[in-house]
């Protein structure tokens, strides 16, 4: 069991896009990493133990053994036989211990809903900062590197070994995947027309710190003069190609249609995203504040609009007694959010 105030021990599976030592372990080998580790190839770990503050030892798990672990999980834990892994990507200013502890402390919320999803924490390197200090650096440096490593996520969760899986990203974790993993560029700086070779049944964007128009037919791509235009264009530009790559991560049926959807959880009074939208940060309204439509469904790309759905958290969050009463931003593991994830589980296909 993990707590925020003590050195943590997380027994379950973790997917870490962090530098580990040794860098090429074999199944069962002990590896180490720290809270300040840089970006590295995504690998499975288990039995993660914090032996000193910010220093961890863990057991490396090969993709084949990780897949077997997921397959046997329902039987060994006497849970829903249709349980499938939900890879949970954290946001800004979240350290490995925080992320694992948060999921461990909310575990009963998943079991109370018959554990249709089995949460697996995904770790990427970000700084530990006071409020917004370090936000811009994390947008441009570690998150981009981690995103490139996560493009090779198929090396850790190949579709043949993990045929059923979904993805949940919180806050800047959406930036890591959308602008990083789906925004890898060629030498000329053009985003490559290639999605990460990984398929998810459902993709959940919670309090997403990415522009609100990423799924629009004609998104703003920083073509007029404004504050820090070149930086924004480099980080957030070429939205249409990134969105195409992102959308292709949805698993499709034999006819080529997605079997699930992209779900956007938003909250209009999200104070963290209000700050993220200022000229001092991104100067764009975030999708986690207004949803993917904002000014109308007609602006959404025709090939995507039937497979993207908003979920307004405003009527589903209490003013008091929640996980984040101050900012109303870290609601990704609230009971109401988990109920929503589970209500949209596509279930096990009949042919299986």
């Amino acid at each position: 069991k993990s707590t925020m105030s003590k050195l943590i021990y997380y027994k379950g599976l973790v997917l870490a896009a962090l530098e580990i030592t040794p860098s090429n372990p074999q199944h069962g080998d002990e590896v180490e990493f720290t809270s300040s580790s840089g970006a590295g190839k995504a690998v499975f770990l288990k039995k993660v133990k914090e032996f000193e503050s910010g220093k961890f030892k863990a057991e490396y798990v090969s993709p084949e053994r990780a897949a077997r672990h997921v397959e046997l999980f329902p039987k060994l834990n006497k849970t829903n036989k249709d349980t499938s892994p939900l890879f949970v990507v954290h946001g800004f200013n979240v350290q490995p211990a925080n992320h694992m502890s948060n999921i461990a402390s909310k575990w009963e919320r998943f079991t109370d809903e018959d554990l249709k999803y089995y949460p697996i924490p995904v770790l990427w390197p970000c700084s530990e900062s006071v409020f917004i200090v370090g936000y811009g650096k994390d947008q441009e440096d570690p998150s981009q590197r981690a995103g490139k490593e996560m493009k090779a996520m198929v090396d850790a969760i190949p579709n043949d070994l993990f045929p059923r899986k979904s993805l949940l990203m919180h806050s800047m974790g959406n930036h890591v995947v959308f602008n990083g993993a789906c925004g890898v560029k060629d030498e000329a700086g053009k985003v490559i027309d290639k999605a990460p070779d990984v398929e998810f049944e459902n993709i959940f964007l919670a309090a997403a710190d990415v522009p609100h128009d990423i799924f629009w037919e004609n998104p703003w791509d920083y073509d007029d003069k404004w504050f820090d235009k070149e930086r924004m264009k480099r980080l957030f530009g070429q939205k249409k190609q990134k969105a195409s790559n992102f959308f292709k991560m949805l698993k499709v049926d034999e006819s080529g249609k997605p079997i699930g959807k992209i779900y956007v959880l938003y909250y209009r009074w999200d104070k963290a995203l209000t700050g993220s939208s200022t000229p001092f940060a991104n100067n764009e309204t975030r999708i986690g504040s207004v949803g993917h439509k904002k000014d109308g469904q007609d602006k959404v790309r025709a090939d995507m609009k039937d497979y993207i759905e908003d979920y307004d958290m405003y009527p589903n969050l209490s003013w008091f007694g929640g996980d984040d009463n101050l900012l109303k931003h870290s609601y990704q593991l609230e009971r109401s959010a988990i109920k929503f994830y589970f209500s949209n589980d596509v279930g096990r296909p009949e042919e299986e």
Side-chain angles (χ1 to χ4, degrees), residues 232-249:
M232 295 297 100
K233 195 174 186 71
R234 184 176 69 254
L235 284 180
F236 306 116
Q238 304 182 63
K239 293 175 183 174
K240 287 198 72 172
Q241 186 59 64
K242 292 175 182 176
S244 294
N245 292 343
F246 187 87
F247 189 76
K248 290 174 185 175
M249 291 196 299

Side-chain angles (χ1 to χ4, degrees), residues 144 146-148 150-151 175-184 194-196:
Q144 291 286 290
K148 290 177 181 179
M150 290 175 73
K151 182 172 173 58
H175 166 66
V176 170
V177 177
F178 187 85
N179 290 304
C182 296
V184 175
K194 182 174 173 56

Side-chain angles (χ1 to χ4, degrees), residues 19 26-27 161 177 192 248 302:
E19 290 177 335
Q26 301 298 310
H27 175 76
L161 292 179
V177 177
I192 299 170
K248 290 174 185 175

Side-chain angles (χ1 to χ4, degrees), residues 32 34 46 101 103 112 120 126 139 192 241 249 251 349:
E32 295 188 13
T34 71
K46 70 176 183 179
S101 294
I103 289 180
D112 287 350
I120 297 178
C126 78
Q139 274 190 322
I192 299 170
Q241 186 59 64
M249 291 196 299
K251 187 174 183 177

Side-chain angles (χ1 to χ4, degrees), residues 115-142:
L115 207 70
K116 289 183 181 178
Y117 283 126
Y118 165 32
I120 297 178
V122 179
L123 308 177
W124 61 274
C126 78
S127 59
E128 186 170 16
S129 307
V130 179
F131 192 49
I132 204 167
V133 178
Y135 173 81
K137 182 178 183 296
D138 274 2
Q139 274 190 322
E140 189 159 2
D141 191 16

Side-chain angles (χ1 to χ4, degrees), residues 160-205:
D160 59 340
L161 292 179
F162 297 86
R164 300 198 64 225
K165 54 190 175 295
S166 292
L167 178 67
L168 165 62
M169 300 159 292
H170 176 244
S171 192
M172 195 187 285
N174 291 268
H175 166 66
V176 170
V177 177
F178 187 85
N179 290 304
C182 296
V184 175
K185 300 173 183 176
D186 60 21
E187 294 181 357
K190 184 178 180 180
V191 173
I192 299 170
D193 181 11
K194 182 174 173 56
D197 188 12
V198 62
E199 296 176 335
F200 297 105
E201 293 177 340
N202 283 321
I203 300 176
F204 301 98
L205 286 69

